[in-house]
Amino acid sequence: MKKRVAILISGGGSNMVSLVDAMQSGKIDAKPVLVLSNNADAGGIAKARDKGVATEVVDHRLYNGDRVAFEIALHNTITKYNPDILCLAGFMRVLTAGFIKKWEGKMLNIHPSLLPKYTGLHTHQRAIDASDSKAGCSVHIVTAKLDDGPLLRQAEVPILTGDTAETLAARVLIEEHKLYPAALEAFVDKY
Ligand code: GAR
């Protein structure tokens, strides 16, 4: 039976598209059963709908900072689709240990840095400011510590003279679109 994959996004969803395309083309032996956003305006929601994937919005703003109440709604919505694996793909909410525990070993994330360097935000600017020679992206299993957990794959991207956070982010994103499907493919094969 094909593994069922739910993808959580907050924005444009370009990584989500690369995952859905790889599953729908048969490259990954899995099925995208849900794309969920915490933000109703996320451009990725329309893209997922166009690809025939079910979509849901669980708007964190409705919970007035009550993370646990938000995560109960998130979990209840996700479980309706009975996924085996969750992929965070530009999902910009910090999840609590309680939520993560429910999906232990089954939740992946992509992060735009060479972890363990630069967890959190502004990864590209921080790599440039540190005069690093390379940046990149990482796919890892999500654990309770932010942007931590066992690494599945990484891709390096050289930092070029004159790079800005934007030019570097654009080149890293191209690698993200290859890395995440490759990591999910290997994860599903071993599942
Ligand atoms: C991607 O660069 C992803 O690595 C990053 O957000 C972007 C989402 O783009 N994720 C994080 O920073 C998570 N800590 P997308 O919506 O086009 O996939």
Side-chain angles (χ1 to χ4, degrees):
M1 267 267 269
K2 275 189 191 297
K3 293 296 167 211
R4 298 169 64 83
V5 177
I7 305 169
L8 274 56
I9 65 169
S10 297
S14 68
N15 277 291
M16 173 276 294
V17 167
S18 73
L19 292 174
V20 167
D21 286 350
M23 287 187 265
Q24 291 186 336
S25 70
K27 192 168 181 333
I28 303 177
D29 191 24
K31 179 180 160 69
V33 294
L34 169 67
V35 170
L36 181 149
S37 174
N38 64 298
N39 165 18
D41 302 327
I45 285 291
K47 292 178 196 162
R49 230 180 259 139
D50 286 349
K51 292 180 179 294
V53 182
T55 60
E56 295 273 4
V57 173
V58 180
D59 185 345
H60 66 277
R61 287 168 298 196
L62 301 178
Y63 298 88
N64 296 320
D66 184 344
R67 271 183 205 276
V68 171
F70 166 63
E71 289 180 352
I72 288 170
L74 194 60
H75 187 74
N76 288 343
T77 305
I78 293 168
T79 50
K80 283 198 287 182
Y81 295 83
N82 199 23
D84 302 296
I85 297 168
L86 295 195
C87 288
L88 306 183
F91 184 69
M92 304 307 276
R93 304 302 302 168
V94 174
L95 294 166
T96 69
F99 181 89
I100 292 167
K101 181 96 186 138
K102 294 190 176 115
W103 298 96
E104 200 169 12
K106 299 175 178 182
M107 181 159 43
L108 312 186
N109 181 43
I110 188 156
H111 184 74
S113 78
L114 293 173
L115 291 173
K117 277 192 156 183
Y118 313 128
T119 61
L121 298 175
H122 312 300
T123 56
H124 306 103
Q125 190 60 54
R126 286 155 69 202
I128 292 169
D129 290 347
S131 304
D132 290 354
S133 59
K134 61 190 184 193
C137 45
S138 308
V139 176
H140 65 98
I141 296 179
V142 177
T143 57
K145 206 165 145 206
L146 181 70
D147 298 329
D148 199 70
L151 281 173
L152 297 177
R153 274 175 196 233
Q154 285 188 316
E156 292 182 358
V157 174
I159 299 180
L160 306 177
T161 310
D163 253 337
T164 62
E166 290 71 29
T167 59
L168 180 57
R171 288 205 316 287
V172 171
L173 197 57
I174 292 169
E175 294 308 313
E176 292 185 42
H177 296 159
K178 297 181 232 164
L179 190 76
Y180 210 174
L184 179 61
E185 183 184 356
F187 187 77
V188 164
D189 287 348
K190 274 198 356 205
Y191 193 92

